[in-house]
Amino acid sequence: VQAGQQLVVKTNTVDVREVLFHTLKVVKLLADQAKVVIVLDLSSEDLPAVIGDSLLISQVLINVLSNAIKFSYPGGRVDVVVAIDEGT
């Protein structure tokens, strides 16, 4: 989002796994070029859907993963851990 632009949020039911796998595909080339391995740890195969904007969630994940890759050493790894917080 550029300065001065209004952020438009389009909420819907989001399949977390789908957004996550799409995001990992997007950053895979960047990770390969940096010689960094991305390791996915899904603690639960049955993740619940969430209400949110799938595009914005994906953009946040891409930003976080891109930074993790950028600041990792060649031969390093980025761990992505997805878990359900039973406390909420």
Side-chain angles (χ1 to χ4, degrees):
V1 176
Q2 299 293 327
Q5 286 184 331
Q6 185 175 4
L7 178 65
V8 177
V9 178
K10 297 179 182 176
T11 59
N12 51 26
T13 303
V14 178
D15 181 337
V16 175
R17 290 174 55 92
E18 183 179 306
V19 171
L20 181 62
F21 289 133
H22 167 76
T23 302
L24 292 175
K25 285 180 188 176
V26 170
V27 299
K28 182 174 180 355
L29 179 61
L30 180 63
D32 290 346
Q33 291 172 340
K35 296 181 176 38
V36 173
V37 175
I38 299 176
V39 178
L40 175 61
D41 177 5
L42 280 173
S43 65
S44 173
E45 290 294 320
D46 189 29
L47 295 172
V50 297
I51 302 298
D53 185 319
S54 58
L55 180 59
L56 292 178
I57 294 169
S58 183
Q59 287 177 340
V60 168
L61 290 172
I62 289 169
N63 185 288
V64 170
L65 290 172
S66 295
N67 284 336
I69 292 164
K70 181 174 159 182
F71 292 105
S72 293
Y73 293 105
R77 71 185 242 176
V78 172
D79 290 292
V80 179
V81 180
V82 181
I84 299 171
D85 183 356
E86 299 294 338
T88 57

